[in-house]
Amino acid sequence: MRFSLYNVIASQDEATIVAKLSEDRFVLRRLDGANVRSAREYWDASAKHLRHRIANGWDGYAEYLAEAVLPNDEEGNKIAFLWVHADLLISSDLRAFLSAFDVLITLGRAAYARGTEMLIFLLGDGAAFPPMTDEESR
C-alpha cells in the first residue's frame, strides 16, 4: 500500500489504515474532529488529543502542532497524522478547514526536508471520502 503526503479516505477504513501504518512502523498521531465545527473548536480538539498548548491563531497553532506531532529521536522518522471526522469541519467552516489543511501540508513538507516521512490522512464520510479499494487495502 503506497500513500502520498495527504490521503483522503472513508472513515470505515480507519482500522485498516491504522493496522497498515503500525505494521510499517509509523508513529500515529490522531485528532478526533467529532465535535469540531470552527477554528476555535479545532484548536481546542487538537490541544486535547495531541497534548499541546491551546492556540489563539493559525501561526501559534502551527508551532504547537509541530512540537506535538513530529517524532522525537526515540520514535524514529516515520509519522502518520490521522484527522478523523474531517468532513464535519469542511461542511461547517471551509475556511477553517483549509487553514488547518495548509498547516498540516506545510508541516508535512518541512518534515520531509529534515528526513522525516510524514503522511496525513483525512478521514470522513460522504462522497469526498472514498472507501479504499481491495487493491489499496493490501
Side-chain angles (χ1 to χ4, degrees):
M1 192 179 321
R2 293 231 358 124
F3 299 109
S4 60
L5 172 58
Y6 68 92
N7 306 272
V8 180
I9 298 173
S11 293
Q12 69 190 30
D13 294 321
E14 182 179 2
T16 302
I17 293 296
V18 167
K20 178 61 178 158
L21 293 169
S22 296
E23 178 183 304
D24 290 345
R25 299 182 186 266
F26 276 83
V27 174
L28 303 178
R29 304 285 195 251
R30 185 177 187 274
L31 186 150
D32 186 344
N35 297 311
V36 174
R37 305 292 188 286
S38 67
R40 167 57 45 211
E41 290 172 346
Y42 176 85
W43 298 328
D44 291 348
S46 182
K48 176 183 173 187
H49 295 284
L50 301 172
R51 297 183 187 104
H52 61 74
R53 291 176 282 173
I54 295 174
N56 289 311
W58 290 110
D59 290 338
Y61 175 70
E63 181 181 328
Y64 301 155
L65 185 69
E67 293 171 4
V69 169
L70 294 178
N72 61 41
D73 293 337
E74 295 151 8
E75 292 177 309
N77 65 346
K78 294 167 73 169
I79 186 86
F81 183 94
L82 288 81
W83 177 359
V84 297
H85 304 290
D87 56 311
L88 299 178
L89 188 56
I90 291 171
S91 63
S92 60
D93 189 343
L94 183 58
R95 183 180 303 264
F97 171 82
L98 292 172
S99 295
F101 184 70
D102 180 56
V103 168
L104 290 170
I105 291 296
T106 301
L107 179 59
R109 289 187 177 129
Y112 275 106
R114 68 174 243 197
T116 298
E117 182 178 6
M118 181 173 171
L119 303 176
I120 300 162
F121 292 87
L122 305 175
L123 292 97
D125 296 317
F129 295 86
M132 294 174 62
T133 64
D134 289 338
E135 187 175 305
E136 289 174 320
S137 64
R138 285 185 221 147

